[in-house]
Amino acid sequence: MQFSGANRRKLRLAGDQKNACYPHSLQFYLEPPSENISLIEFENLAIDRLKLLKTVENLGVRYVKGTEQYQSKLESEIRKLKFSFRENLEDEYEPRRKDHISHFILRLAYCQSEDLRRWFIQQEMDLLRFRFTILPKDKIQNFLKDSHLQFEAISDEEKNHREQEIIASSVSLSGAQLELESVYKIPFADALDLFRGRRVYLEDGFAYVPLKDIVAIILNEFRAKLSKALALTARSLPAVQSDERLQPLLSHLSHSYTGQDYSTQGNTGKISLDQIDSLSTTSFPPCMRQLHKALRENHHLRHGGRMQYGLFLKGIGLTLEQALQFWKREFVRGKMDPDKFDRGYSYNIRHSFGKEGKRTDYTPYSCMKIILTNPPGQGDYHGCPFRHSDPELLKQKLHSYKISPQRTSQILDLVKGTHYQVACQKYFEMIHNVDDCGFSLNHPNQFFDESQRILNGGKDIKKESVLPETQAKPGVQKTKDTSCALSSLNSSLEADMEGLEDYFSQ
C-alpha cells in the first residue's frame, strides 16, 4: 500500500473483477492491499475503522453477544459507517474495499504493545463473529475455502450414517435440528477445544462439527493468524514510522479521540466560580471530582493535574479571567505568594487558552488520552480512577460517593475486564438513577454536559452574566449533539485528532 498527497486514482474495475477482489462480506485479511491511496483517505479509513471497533466493544459490554438486540444495533452502526456486513447486497465493492484497507491500517497502529494487540484482536473477532452468523449457509463453504480453511461440509448421506454419534456428542442438538444443520469434517487438531469439552464426535482423525459449533473454531483460527500477523507487523513498524507523513497519525491513532473538542466557544461564562464546588459532586466525572477534592484539600496540584483539570474547567465554561482567579485564589490559600503565582503559573494558564506561545487554543483531554498517556505517580491526582486506582481504593472512593456495595461490584467487574469508560458510564447511570444513559461515554466534558441535561430537564445550565472573550478562536470545529445512544459515539469520533487535522490539511 502506497500513499500520496494527491487524490487517489480510482481503480476502474468491471463487475466481475470487483467480485473477484472481495467475494465475501467478511474475510481473514490474508492479503494486504496493494493499491495507492491518498493520505487523506488513509486517515479517514483509519478513523472510520476505529469508530466501528469502539462500537463493537461498547455493544459487547452492554448487551449479550448474539442476542437480537445486539445484532440489530451492531448492524445499524455498520450501515451508518458504510462497512460491509451482508452478502447479496448491491454496490458492495466500496464497503468491502474500505473494510479491507482500514483493517490493515489499524494493524499498524495497534501492533505496538501487548495491550493494544489484545484489544484489537478481541474487537476484530467479535466483528467476524457477527458477520459469520448472518452469512447465508450457501456461502459458508466458499468463505471457508477462500480463507484457506480445510473444513468440508459432509453429504446428507454421511450425516445420516453418523446421526446418532453426532447427536450424542453435541449438546442441545436434536435429530430434527440435525436435519437442517450442516456438519463439517474438520482435522482433529483444529477442534481441540471441543474435544476437551467432549462436545464433538471423532472418527479416523477427523472431527464432525455442526454449524452451530464451527464458529468457535473459525474464531480460534482467525485469532492465531491475526496474532501472528500483528507480531510480524510490529517487527516492520520502524520502517513504516520512518515515513514522516504517517508517523504522527500512527503515534496518536491507538489512543486518539477524534470527536467534539468541547472548547469554550459555546460555553464561555456559563458557570460561576461559586458553582464549582456543588457541580463537582453532581456533574463531574470521578477523574475531575478527585482532582477538585485534592486541590481544595492541598491548595496545589502538580502540572499533570493542573493541565487535566484546568482544560476540563475551560471546557465547561470558565473564562480566562475566571481561571486565573480560581487557580490564584486556591494556590494563595496554600501560602503561595501572589507574585510568585503571577510569575510562575499565570503564563501556563494563559498559554492553555491560546494567549501565549504558539497561540494554540488547547482542548480538554478525552478519556482515551487520560487513560493511555502520562500515568500518575506518587503525589499525583490526575489520570483515570478506574484505570489507575488500586481496586480497594477505588471501592472506598465509590463508597464515599454513596454507591451501594452491589453497584460497586458491578463497576469493579467492568474495571477488571479493562472496560474503564464503560465503568464510568455505569457510574453516571447510577448517580443519575437512569437505566440507560443513552450515549457512549468518551470524554469527561461529555459526562458533565449530559449530567447537566438530565439535572436541568434537558436544558443547558443557565449562563451567568459574564461577558465572554471577544477574540475569535481560529479553526473552531462544529459541535454535534451527543444525547443519542450510539450516535453519540459517531459524533464523538469525527472532528479533532489531537492536532492531526492541521497536519494533514497543510
Side-chain angles (χ1 to χ4, degrees):
M1 187 163 46
Q2 297 180 6
F3 317 100
S4 63
N7 291 332
R8 181 181 62 86
R9 181 170 57 84
K10 289 277 187 180
L11 293 177
R12 298 183 180 276
L13 299 176
D16 290 343
Q17 290 176 300
K18 289 183 177 181
N19 292 335
C21 287
Y22 303 113
H24 304 289
S25 59
L26 72 167
Q27 58 170 305
F28 266 31
Y29 309 102
L30 300 177
E31 297 293 332
S34 58
E35 64 177 285
N36 296 339
I37 65 172
S38 69
L39 288 170
I40 296 300
E41 185 178 19
F42 182 96
E43 179 188 13
N44 290 337
L45 291 174
I47 291 173
D48 281 351
R49 186 73 176 202
L50 187 55
K51 293 180 191 178
L52 177 60
L53 296 188
K54 291 288 184 183
T55 299
V56 170
E57 178 188 35
N58 189 274
L59 288 175
V61 175
R62 297 187 64 81
Y63 303 99
V64 178
K65 296 173 185 176
T67 60
E68 183 177 349
Q69 193 174 22
Y70 172 86
Q71 298 283 102
S72 64
K73 286 185 177 292
L74 183 51
E75 179 172 330
S76 174
E77 291 307 307
I78 293 177
R79 284 181 184 274
K80 291 178 185 177
L81 293 170
K82 299 181 179 179
F83 280 94
S84 62
F85 65 99
R86 282 192 183 276
E87 300 285 312
N88 303 324
L89 294 178
E90 295 189 9
D91 300 325
E92 273 289 279
Y93 172 75
E94 282 299 331
R96 293 179 185 183
R97 172 185 170 275
K98 177 179 183 178
D99 176 69
H100 182 217
I101 298 176
S102 64
H103 169 86
F104 278 91
I105 293 174
L106 284 204
R107 278 192 188 184
L108 295 172
Y110 280 82
C111 69
Q112 301 178 52
S113 72
E114 183 60 35
D115 287 342
L116 292 176
R117 288 194 290 269
R118 188 183 302 113
W119 183 88
F120 181 69
I121 290 172
Q122 183 59 58
Q123 309 324 315
E124 289 286 350
M125 286 177 58
D126 287 345
L127 181 60
L128 180 69
R129 180 192 290 109
F130 164 77
R131 287 169 165 166
F132 184 80
T133 57
I134 61 175
L135 187 68
K137 290 186 177 181
D138 60 339
K139 302 286 186 179
I140 291 178
Q141 190 63 60
N142 287 335
F143 162 71
L144 296 175
K145 181 179 178 182
D146 292 339
S147 301
H148 301 169
L149 298 176
Q150 305 303 316
F151 303 165
E152 182 179 345
I154 64 175
S155 65
D156 289 340
E157 182 179 351
E158 287 185 274
K159 184 169 65 174
N160 293 334
H161 179 69
R162 298 174 175 84
E163 177 179 0
Q164 296 302 320
E165 291 85 352
I166 294 174
I167 292 175
S169 58
S170 300
V171 180
S172 70
L173 185 66
S174 64
Q177 291 173 320
L178 183 60
E179 288 185 16
L180 304 174
E181 188 93 339
S182 297
V183 176
Y184 292 84
K185 184 179 179 180
I186 296 174
F188 162 71
D190 293 328
L192 290 178
D193 287 344
L194 292 176
F195 172 70
R196 291 190 189 98
R198 299 187 177 185
R199 293 184 292 115
V200 67
Y201 172 62
L202 301 177
E203 181 181 321
D204 295 333
F206 288 94
Y208 290 81
V209 184
L211 177 61
K212 70 180 184 66
D213 293 328
I214 200 176
V215 64
I217 298 174
I218 292 173
L219 290 174
N220 282 339
E221 290 286 333
F222 180 68
R223 181 200 290 115
K225 292 180 184 296
L226 182 54
S227 180
K228 182 178 179 181
L230 287 171
L232 293 174
T233 304
R235 288 165 55 184
S236 305
L237 193 60
V240 178
Q241 289 180 326
S242 65
D243 189 329
E244 62 181 14
R245 301 167 300 172
L246 301 181
Q247 195 275 335
L249 178 58
L250 295 179
S251 296
H252 291 81
L253 189 59
S254 60
H255 57 267
S256 65
Y257 168 80
T258 58
Q260 185 175 333
D261 63 5
Y262 290 96
S263 67
T264 59
Q265 190 70 13
N267 296 327
T268 306
K270 281 194 174 182
I271 65 170
S272 68
L273 297 182
D274 293 337
Q275 290 176 286
I276 295 179
D277 282 335
S278 61
L279 289 173
S280 70
T281 60
T282 59
S283 295
F284 280 18
C287 57
M288 302 304 168
R289 188 171 178 176
Q290 76 175 9
L291 281 167
H292 181 78
K293 183 174 183 289
L295 179 62
R296 288 302 198 206
E297 291 178 350
N298 304 323
H299 310 297
H300 187 271
L301 285 176
R302 292 182 177 177
H303 178 73
R306 295 197 303 273
M307 286 297 295
Q308 181 176 316
Y309 189 41
L311 291 174
F312 169 80
L313 291 176
K314 173 188 173 186
I316 68 174
L318 248 63
T319 64
L320 173 58
E321 289 74 17
Q322 287 176 310
L324 287 168
Q325 181 183 350
F326 172 78
W327 289 101
K328 184 173 184 177
R329 184 170 63 186
E330 202 59 49
F331 275 45
V332 168
R333 286 177 179 171
K335 310 305 181 183
M336 178 177 287
D337 184 82
D339 291 336
K340 180 180 179 181
F341 178 89
D342 291 338
R343 293 192 308 269
Y345 294 90
S346 342
Y347 177 87
N348 290 335
I349 297 172
R350 292 178 56 80
H351 187 274
S352 68
F353 276 79
K355 305 303 181 185
E356 302 288 355
K358 295 185 298 182
R359 307 283 175 174
T360 301
D361 199 354
Y362 292 93
T363 57
Y365 291 173
S366 68
C367 291
M368 290 301 290
K369 184 176 180 67
I370 292 172
I371 290 171
L372 294 177
T373 63
N374 190 25
Q378 186 70 29
D380 287 326
Y381 294 93
H382 65 274
C384 170
F386 301 105
R387 170 65 179 89
H388 299 118
S389 291
D390 177 82
E392 190 58 38
L393 292 177
L394 178 59
K395 183 178 179 180
Q396 295 175 16
K397 191 184 300 289
L398 293 172
H399 178 72
S400 70
Y401 295 162
K402 303 297 190 292
I403 304 297
S404 68
Q406 181 180 2
R407 290 184 165 187
T408 296
S409 296
Q410 295 176 25
I411 292 176
L412 292 176
D413 287 342
L414 290 170
V415 170
K416 187 177 180 180
T418 70
H419 303 297
Y420 309 117
Q421 290 167 249
V422 181
C424 191
Q425 186 168 313
K426 179 64 68 175
Y427 167 81
F428 179 98
E429 293 170 348
M430 290 174 179
I431 66 172
H432 293 91
N433 197 29
V434 293
D435 293 330
D436 189 341
C437 62
F439 64 89
S440 296
L441 185 63
N442 294 283
H443 203 292
N445 290 79
Q446 181 190 10
F447 185 109
F448 177 83
D449 286 353
E450 297 293 348
S451 172
Q452 286 297 296
R453 287 194 181 97
I454 291 176
L455 297 177
N456 294 306
K459 300 178 181 178
D460 289 333
I461 53 179
K462 187 176 180 181
K463 188 173 182 177
E464 66 164 330
S465 55
V466 175
L467 292 176
E469 296 176 310
T470 57
Q471 181 175 344
K473 173 187 172 182
V476 176
Q477 301 171 354
K478 296 180 180 179
T479 58
K480 301 180 180 180
D481 182 16
T482 56
S483 60
C484 296
L486 286 163
S487 65
S488 161
L489 177 61
N490 294 335
S491 70
S492 70
L493 287 163
E494 285 175 357
D496 176 25
M497 198 156 87
E498 302 297 346
L500 287 173
E501 293 284 5
D502 292 338
Y503 176 85
F504 283 101
S505 64
Q506 290 177 354

